[in-house]
Amino acid sequence: MSTAPDPWAIAEALRQWASDTDWVDWVELGGSLGRGGGDALSDVDAGIGVDDPAGRLAAAREAAEAFAPVAGTLVQDLGGVDHLMVVYRDGRQLSLVVFDRERRDGLPPEATALVDKSNRLATELDPERWDAGEATAREWTFLAWIAIGDAARHALRDHPWRALKALTDARDNLWRLHARTLGLPFPAFGAVTVENADAAAPPGMRDTHPKDLSRKEIHGSLEALASLLEPHTEDDLAAVAATVAHRIGRLAD
């Protein structure tokens, strides 16, 4: 019987390479593996701290491509930080962010230090650094209502796929608000955060997913989503909610 490829082997290869590479200062492992969980389907989510991020990307990519036979790679610019994605032919994936080593003054929550040459990861960072404040919660709520209204508008125009996309955007923000209410770390990750914590979804969340793309199903899903969003809606957004509710009501005509 075949054995599933082990993502920990990629993490160990990364650790060994970084330990032997003088310009790599630290390696942090996040995601399910960093939390001490994960399985054969887990990606390897990691970050490395280096002395010259722009000049080290090519070498980091070359190293990562030597860990196992590669199917393909992609480099993304995440706001000035390079993100290297490597898909290996056996299905394993490495997500590697190349940081300036000065960017870390401690270890983020739910992460593991694989390499820490200058003790930058010796201190655990306060999870509150990643909390969402009142302004962020208001933004998520506002954007959720706007997306619900957009979904209703697209449904009224018989553009069901656009309606579904907007509905999903609204639901994503509701997940973020729910994670924040539960006091979970990294609430911005929404459903990912809630499921990682084995926390319950908001009651009735399944009703926000339409069974098909008919106007009736989308209408019912939007009503359910609006109902779940209302407890997160402060008085200053009541008029926005009422305006969107009126548009949802037009779907019933």
Side-chain angles (χ1 to χ4, degrees):
M1 183 174 64
S2 63
T3 302
D6 182 9
W8 274 107
I10 299 295
E12 174 59 19
L14 176 63
R15 187 197 67 77
Q16 291 181 357
W17 166 76
S19 296
D20 295 337
T21 303
D22 58 6
W23 46 265
V24 179
D25 186 35
W26 50 262
V27 179
E28 64 181 32
L29 181 66
S32 57
L33 299 182
R35 293 194 307 276
D39 54 28
L41 296 176
S42 295
D43 294 339
V44 180
D45 299 305
I48 60 174
V50 304
D51 58 10
D52 177 19
R56 304 301 189 184
L57 175 62
R61 180 173 182 170
E62 181 180 0
E65 290 177 343
F67 295 161
V70 172
T73 61
L74 175 69
V75 175
Q76 294 178 305
D77 181 352
L78 301 183
V81 178
D82 288 318
H83 174 220
L84 172 63
M85 300 179 67
V86 183
V87 179
Y88 298 98
R89 291 185 181 180
D90 57 19
R92 291 177 293 180
Q93 295 184 33
L94 170 63
S95 173
L96 183 66
V97 181
V98 183
F99 292 101
D100 185 314
R101 63 181 180 181
E102 303 291 334
R103 286 281 295 269
R104 281 287 182 263
D105 57 358
L107 187 67
E110 301 184 350
T112 298
L114 296 183
V115 175
D116 190 12
K117 297 176 183 177
S118 59
N119 293 322
R120 286 189 171 276
L121 307 183
T123 302
E124 293 187 1
L125 295 174
D126 191 337
E128 291 185 359
R129 179 181 296 198
W130 288 271
D131 284 353
E134 294 296 332
T136 299
R138 183 184 186 278
E139 178 182 353
W140 289 342
T141 306
F142 189 96
L143 292 176
W145 281 116
I146 294 299
I148 290 173
D150 287 345
R153 171 162 51 88
H154 294 318
L156 287 166
R157 291 175 172 173
D158 293 324
H159 294 156
W161 290 107
R162 294 171 68 182
L164 182 62
K165 170 63 168 60
L167 189 154
T168 301
D169 290 343
R171 190 191 299 111
D172 286 346
N173 278 306
L174 178 60
W175 276 114
R176 294 181 179 108
L177 291 164
H178 181 59
R180 179 179 183 269
T181 298
L182 295 177
L184 299 176
F186 305 115
F189 293 138
V192 174
T193 293
V194 174
E195 291 192 335
N196 283 345
D198 292 326
M205 182 62 97
R206 288 183 180 273
D207 295 334
T208 70
H209 196 290
K211 298 181 178 66
D212 55 47
L213 293 178
S214 66
R215 180 180 291 194
K216 178 181 178 181
E217 279 294 320
I218 291 175
H219 175 230
S221 296
L222 290 177
E223 284 194 324
L225 190 55
S227 178
L228 290 176
L229 188 58
E230 285 176 359
H232 300 281
T233 304
E234 300 294 340
D235 290 344
D236 67 323
L237 292 180
V240 173
T243 300
V244 172
H246 176 73
R247 182 176 288 180
I248 295 173
R250 293 179 58 190
L251 284 171
D253 295 341

